[in-house]
Amino acid sequence: MNINIGIEENDRKAIAHGLATLLADTYTLYLKTHNYHWNVTGPMFQTLHLLFETQYTELSAAVDLIAERIRALGEFAPGSYKEFAKLTSIKEAEGIPSAVDMIKDLVQGQEALAKTARAIVPVADKASDEPTLDLLTQRMQVHEKNAWMLRSLLG
């Protein structure tokens, strides 16, 4: 069936492509954060273990919201490591970094997600796609707050 939600097909495709990148970045950061949750050591173990769990749990929920918005726009959501690897701007970690390096790496990841979401705003705004704009606003708020909280641990 044709999709008739008041957003032109070209705009829907452009928005969905941006959201696919956001989905890939979100999933990649989810995996990285979960890895760090499992493998963090040192005097801040308990604090970081719990913080990383809070953040990966939130990222896990976000993956579903982003993918469902892509589907609502009439496009298929990427869903494999291969697809995510092509789309993501977040680099995988090599080995197991120190706790401080984990924090720094996750700050960069959270900031990257905020930037990825922000880059989609003009396209969604031009198309008057308020549901996507709302999703992007929420994602930017979460990622900017998470980056701030992580940076605060570094002093």
Side-chain angles (χ1 to χ4, degrees), residues 3-121:
I3 297 172
N4 185 13
I5 59 174
I7 303 172
E8 295 296 322
E9 182 179 1
N10 288 341
D11 291 334
R12 282 189 293 106
K13 287 183 180 298
I15 294 164
H17 177 72
L19 290 173
T21 301
L22 183 64
L23 179 61
D25 280 355
T26 302
Y27 197 88
T28 303
L29 187 61
Y30 158 79
L31 187 60
K32 181 182 283 194
T33 306
H34 210 152
N35 176 31
Y36 290 171
H37 163 80
W38 290 327
N39 291 302
V40 68
T41 59
M44 295 189 338
F45 168 80
Q46 185 66 20
T47 299
L48 294 179
H49 186 73
L50 294 174
L51 178 62
F52 295 168
E53 181 176 15
T54 299
Q55 290 187 359
Y56 80 67
T57 300
E58 194 284 325
L59 289 162
S60 175
V63 163
D64 202 46
L65 295 172
I66 297 164
E68 288 176 354
R69 184 64 196 150
I70 294 168
R71 295 297 297 134
L73 291 167
E75 298 297 317
F76 288 102
S80 70
Y81 290 122
K82 185 177 182 178
E83 289 175 293
F84 291 153
K86 285 186 212 174
L87 292 167
T88 191
S89 66
I90 296 174
K91 303 273 189 262
E92 288 192 36
E94 297 286 328
I96 304 298
S98 70
V100 169
D101 287 339
M102 286 178 180
I103 295 166
K104 289 177 182 177
D105 193 24
L106 293 179
V107 167
Q108 290 175 348
Q110 294 286 345
E111 290 174 342
L113 275 164
K115 288 188 279 190
T116 298
R118 187 166 275 108
I120 306 164
V121 169

Side-chain angles (χ1 to χ4, degrees), residues 110-111 114-115 118 138-151:
Q110 294 286 345
E111 290 174 342
K115 288 188 279 190
R118 187 166 275 108
Q138 290 176 38
R139 298 312 315 146
M140 287 183 289
Q141 287 174 335
V142 166
H143 298 303
E144 289 172 7
K145 181 178 179 180
N146 285 346
W148 158 62
M149 295 185 104
L150 288 161
R151 277 192 307 271

Side-chain angles (χ1 to χ4, degrees), residues 120-135:
I120 306 164
V121 169
V123 181
D125 190 41
K126 176 182 151 286
S128 299
D129 182 359
E130 284 81 8
T132 297
L133 288 168
D134 182 52
L135 175 64

